Amino acid sequence: MTRLSEEEILQKIKDHRVLVTASKKAAKEYLCSLGTHNEDGTLTEEYSVN
């Protein structure tokens, strides 16, 4: 496996950002997949301030 150049890494980051911010639904699904948000959009207990 070869190391990615800085430009390739930056492009992958940009492509990922476009993908997960393409719509409100895509953003919500991404945040839920990370485990930071519940399906209703609230923070999970682990990430809430309370």
Side-chain angles (χ1 to χ4, degrees), residues 3 6 9 11 14 18 20-21 25-27 30 32-34 38-43 45-49:
R3 292 187 173 203
E6 181 178 352
I9 292 170
Q11 188 60 50
K14 289 175 186 177
V18 169
V20 299
T21 61
K25 181 181 178 189
Y30 177 66
C32 289
S33 76
L34 293 177
N38 298 309
E39 287 292 323
D40 64 359
T42 60
L43 288 171
E45 187 176 333
E46 182 178 350
Y47 290 92
S48 66
V49 186

Side-chain angles (χ1 to χ4, degrees), residues 1-42:
M1 187 165 118
T2 61
R3 292 187 173 203
L4 295 175
S5 69
E6 181 178 352
E7 294 82 21
E8 290 172 318
I9 292 170
L10 289 174
Q11 188 60 50
K12 286 185 177 289
I13 292 169
K14 289 175 186 177
D15 292 346
H16 183 260
R17 184 196 60 199
V18 169
L19 180 68
V20 299
T21 61
S23 67
K24 287 184 178 185
K25 181 181 178 189
K28 182 178 171 183
E29 287 175 357
Y30 177 66
L31 292 171
C32 289
S33 76
L34 293 177
T36 59
H37 288 71
N38 298 309
E39 287 292 323
D40 64 359
T42 60

